[in-house]
Amino acid sequence: MSGFVVALTGGIASGKSAVERRFEAHGIHAYDADVAARAVVEPGSPALAEVARVFGAGALDRDGRLDRAAMRQRVFDDPSARTSLEGILHPRIRARLRAAAAADTGPYCILSIPLLVENRAHYDWVNRVLVVDASEATRIARLVRRDGIDEALARKMIAAQARREDRLAIADDVVVNEGDEGALDAEVEALDRRYRALGSPAGRAPTTAR
C-alpha cells in the first residue's frame, strides 16, 4: 500500500457522492465500490455468469446485462437473495478496491464503501474511516426524489443497511450533510489538510483494525 487510505461511508442517500466529488476537486483519487460493482458484472464477466446461474435469466435484461432494478427489488424482498448476491460480488469488489489503493501514488486516497459497517473486517487495512451522516427523514426524502420510488421502498432500503448508530461508532471523522451541499466545502477542505498531514511520512500511523 503506497498511500494513506481513507474509507468513506454513509447510509444510502446520505450524500457520499457529494463529499467524494469535493475530495476529487482537491486532486485526490476516489475509488468507488459502486463503480467497482458495475465493472465486475460487465457482459462476459465471470461474476455476471455466476449471477445468471444462481438467480436465473430474470437477473438479466434483454441486452444480457444485469437488470439492476429487478435485482434491487429482489434482494430487498428476500434477505437470502441479498446474501447470495453479495457473496458473488463483494470479494471481487474488495479486490478491485485494494488493488486501486495499492497503486495510488497521491498523498492519500478515498475508498467510497457504502456497506463498510457490514464488511468492516474485510477492510481492516484502511487507515481512517470518514462517515457522512444525515437523518433518516432527510435520506427518505432524497431517495423518493432521486430514485422516483415510494416512501415504503425507501424505508425498506434504509432498513436493509447498518444502523446509523453503528456507522457512527466506527467513525474517525464525521461530516453532517443535512442541508445545502455548499456547506460541505469547508469541512472537506479541513479534512483534506488533515489527511495530507496524516499521510505524510511524519504523520503516518500504523494501520489498526477496528
Side-chain angles (χ1 to χ4, degrees):
M1 197 83 45
S2 59
F4 194 79
V5 182
V6 179
L8 169 67
T9 194
I12 189 169
S14 61
K16 297 181 298 297
S17 295
V19 172
E20 184 180 320
R21 288 194 298 270
R22 282 161 172 78
F23 278 108
E24 290 176 327
H26 286 280
I28 299 302
H29 292 122
Y31 305 102
D32 196 312
D34 288 340
V35 173
R38 290 192 289 272
V40 300
V41 291
E42 282 294 307
S45 66
L48 187 62
E50 189 171 351
V51 169
R53 179 179 60 80
V54 171
F55 291 97
L60 307 181
D61 63 19
R62 289 181 297 179
D63 297 323
R65 294 181 175 274
L66 183 68
D67 189 330
R68 298 182 184 282
M71 288 303 299
R72 179 174 65 179
Q73 188 67 54
R74 187 164 178 178
V75 299
F76 282 117
D77 287 340
D78 181 357
S80 65
R82 180 185 181 189
T83 299
S84 296
L85 184 63
E86 289 178 349
I88 297 168
L89 302 184
H90 284 193
R92 293 174 167 96
I93 293 168
R94 290 194 295 267
R96 290 181 71 94
L97 291 178
R98 186 150 197 173
D104 191 85
T105 57
Y108 68 94
C109 69
I110 298 288
L111 300 185
S112 184
I113 309 169
L115 302 182
L116 181 63
V117 171
E118 296 88 334
N119 296 277
R120 186 66 181 98
H122 296 291
Y123 291 99
D124 59 359
W125 47 271
V126 305
N127 299 94
R128 204 161 179 89
V129 174
L130 169 60
V131 171
V132 184
D133 185 50
S135 69
E136 182 173 311
T138 296
R139 293 161 59 206
I140 288 171
R142 288 173 179 164
L143 276 171
V144 169
R145 182 173 61 251
R146 185 190 76 187
D147 293 357
I149 60 177
D150 61 26
E151 184 175 326
L153 179 56
R155 288 186 181 278
K156 188 180 293 186
M157 292 168 71
I158 288 173
Q161 293 188 337
R163 298 183 309 155
R164 183 183 185 188
E165 294 82 0
D166 293 335
R167 281 190 296 273
L168 293 173
I170 68 167
D172 295 299
D173 305 295
V174 178
V175 169
V176 177
N177 182 29
E178 287 285 352
D180 184 83
E181 283 191 8
L184 299 172
D185 293 342
E187 290 192 71
V188 172
E189 184 174 351
L191 287 168
D192 175 64
R193 289 196 298 269
R194 181 182 303 169
Y195 296 155
R196 286 176 186 272
L198 289 171
S200 69
R204 186 75 59 85
T207 302
T208 56
R210 283 182 166 273

